[in-house]
Amino acid sequence: MQTRIFKPLPDTLEESWLPELIEILKAGGVAALPTETVYGLSANALDEGAVDSIFRIKGRPQDNPLIVHVASVEMAKTLASEFPPAAERLAERFWPGPLTMVLKKSALVPDGVSAGLPTVGIRFPAHPLMRRVIEKSGLPLAAPSANLSGYPSPTNAEHCIADLLGRVDAILDGGACSVGVESTIVSVAGARPRLLRPGGIPPEALIAVLGDLEWDRAVSGESDPSCPVAAPGMKYRHYAPRAQVRLVVGGREQYCQFVNHYPGEGVYALCFSEEQRELNRPSLALCNEDDLPEAARRLFWALREFDEKGAKTVLAHCPNREGVGLAVYNRLLRAAAFDEIEL
Ligand code: TXA
Ligand code: MG
């Protein structure tokens, strides 16, 4: 398949790329489109054939539902059979932005999108190019992260090209994603609002709006394989490079000693900038230790870099779990297939 690559000039209203992209989507095609969190593998959510193509291209298990992206609260309401007061408050405060709400679905949403669940995940993204495509086409877009299933999510167009060239109809280059980890997912379909996946919006901010928030156990720790998982995508080893990732929890000195004495070849450190000079192993600095938004922006890029360098093992220093740090921790834990070392 020939993949069209569209690269709009940044900061202009030049839109010569838009009609062709919309034609592709209306014809049931699949395109990698930028959002502020990560790039999404996008297709018309109301076209079952197009939705099937997403699963096939990504190699995604059929039991893992897709998020539907909209460009207004009205559009969201057409996809949900109920839009409770908690949803109104969250939409008012966090949309457009990195928040997905799980709601009872309307008859409009094909079963393939929701993987047979009675609910649907809906997000109104903030990225101007994604918004423009949805507004101009009038199509709600189903979009999982645009990585091949299991690998780190793409946070720039080069990552999409590496994973998807020849497999999708188009890639829209919107530059680097400003958030860098996926949206926070909250279910407002039950009696109490429930956090299913930490992401770009910190739980503290949700609690400030809702007053009440249950945490799914998959949010902070390992999920119990015998229990049904609320967000099915949270149960697999995920976001992982080819290298083996080990998540190391401990203070700076302990971490540096651990890395410096770790045996074997091809061992790399994913550390904080302040630690780099103390390490005698090759390393990549994620960010300054207290800059959690930067950790989120650079995480998936860094995981992909280790594969470029041919790393066999990555010893990742666990970040602070406050704010968006919880999402960074959650992704690293899955990239490490839950291999967490407490020093
Ligand atoms: O930031 C994001 O959310 C990105 C961008 C492209 O919007 N999308 C994204 O999609 O991360 P994906 O498919 O990689 O992750 C969606 C997660 C999965 O864990 C899935 O199981 C969960 O959302 N999910 C989707 N619909 C759901 C539903 N109805 N109930 C529970 N979980 C749901
Ligand atoms: Mg994903």
Side-chain angles (χ1 to χ4, degrees), residues 37 40 60 64-65 67 69 119 123 144-145 182-183 185 197 230-233:
T37 57
R60 184 181 180 101
N64 195 357
I67 294 171
H69 297 72
T119 54
R123 177 158 103 86
S145 50
E182 297 85 348
S183 60
I185 306 181
R197 177 178 76 178

Side-chain angles (χ1 to χ4, degrees), residues 188-303:
V188 283
R192 289 179 67 191
R194 190 172 171 83
L195 179 64
L196 304 185
R197 177 178 76 178
I201 304 281
E204 296 88 334
L206 297 174
I207 292 167
V209 169
L210 294 170
D212 176 38
L213 186 65
E214 271 185 331
W215 288 45
D216 191 81
R217 47 185 310 184
V219 168
S220 30
E222 185 162 359
S223 49
D224 175 350
S226 65
C227 288
V229 182
M234 289 277 87
K235 75 186 172 191
Y236 311 106
R237 173 175 188 251
H238 211 123
Y239 314 109
R242 284 188 292 277
Q244 178 202 14
V245 179
R246 310 198 69 187
L247 182 57
V248 185
V249 184
R252 181 178 303 172
E253 208 174 306
Q254 290 165 301
Y255 171 75
C256 292
Q257 282 201 13
F258 179 80
V259 171
N260 289 341
H261 292 104
Y262 196 87
E265 301 276 299
V267 178
Y268 283 69
L270 178 59
C271 62
F272 300 111
S273 315
E274 297 90 337
E275 294 162 341
Q276 219 165 8
R277 276 187 313 180
E278 296 174 41
L279 298 173
N280 62 19
R281 290 278 190 188
S283 63
L284 226 163
L286 187 58
C287 57
N288 292 332
E289 186 162 6
D290 54 7
D291 191 352
L292 295 170
E294 183 72 354
R297 264 191 298 279
R298 283 168 54 89
L299 175 69
F300 289 131
W301 166 83
L303 291 177

Side-chain angles (χ1 to χ4, degrees), residues 38-305:
V38 302
Y39 278 68
L41 187 60
S42 315
N44 179 1
L46 307 181
D47 177 337
E48 302 214 30
V51 169
D52 280 350
S53 305
I54 294 178
F55 281 93
R56 185 170 36 74
I57 292 167
K58 197 173 152 87
R60 184 181 180 101
Q62 293 286 343
D63 72 344
N64 195 357
L66 305 179
I67 294 171
V68 182
H69 297 72
V70 297
S72 67
V73 176
E74 287 98 284
M75 198 177 204
K77 287 180 177 172
T78 65
L79 303 168
S81 63
E82 277 172 37
F83 207 81
E88 295 281 2
R89 288 205 298 279
L90 290 174
E92 163 91 5
R93 174 68 185 80
F94 298 112
W95 277 2
L99 177 74
T100 296
M101 287 197 255
V102 169
L103 291 147
K104 292 195 178 112
K105 74 182 185 111
S106 76
L108 215 55
V109 180
D111 282 339
V113 169
S114 55
L117 295 174
T119 54
V120 59
I122 305 179
R123 177 158 103 86
F124 179 174
H127 196 290
L129 295 182
M130 182 69 160
R131 285 177 70 171
R132 198 67 189 127
V133 175
I134 300 170
E135 271 164 17
K136 252 320 224 205
S137 66
L139 301 175
L141 296 180
S145 50
N147 50 298
L148 300 179
S149 201
Y151 288 96
S153 303
T155 50
N156 62 40
E158 290 70 36
H159 295 163
C160 296
I161 290 170
D163 283 11
L164 298 171
L165 195 72
R167 300 182 195 231
V168 292
D169 297 287
I171 295 172
L172 176 62
D173 187 343
C177 300
S178 60
V179 176
V181 290
E182 297 85 348
S183 60
T184 299
I185 306 181
V186 179
S187 170
V188 283
R192 289 179 67 191
R194 190 172 171 83
L195 179 64
L196 304 185
R197 177 178 76 178
I201 304 281
E204 296 88 334
L206 297 174
I207 292 167
V209 169
L210 294 170
D212 176 38
L213 186 65
E214 271 185 331
W215 288 45
D216 191 81
R217 47 185 310 184
V219 168
S220 30
E222 185 162 359
S223 49
D224 175 350
S226 65
C227 288
V229 182
M234 289 277 87
K235 75 186 172 191
Y236 311 106
R237 173 175 188 251
H238 211 123
Y239 314 109
R242 284 188 292 277
Q244 178 202 14
V245 179
R246 310 198 69 187
L247 182 57
V248 185
V249 184
R252 181 178 303 172
E253 208 174 306
Q254 290 165 301
Y255 171 75
C256 292
Q257 282 201 13
F258 179 80
V259 171
N260 289 341
H261 292 104
Y262 196 87
E265 301 276 299
V267 178
Y268 283 69
L270 178 59
C271 62
F272 300 111
S273 315
E274 297 90 337
E275 294 162 341
Q276 219 165 8
R277 276 187 313 180
E278 296 174 41
L279 298 173
N280 62 19
R281 290 278 190 188
S283 63
L284 226 163
L286 187 58
C287 57
N288 292 332
E289 186 162 6
D290 54 7
D291 191 352
L292 295 170
E294 183 72 354
R297 264 191 298 279
R298 283 168 54 89
L299 175 69
F300 289 131
W301 166 83
L303 291 177
R304 284 174 180 256
E305 277 297 297

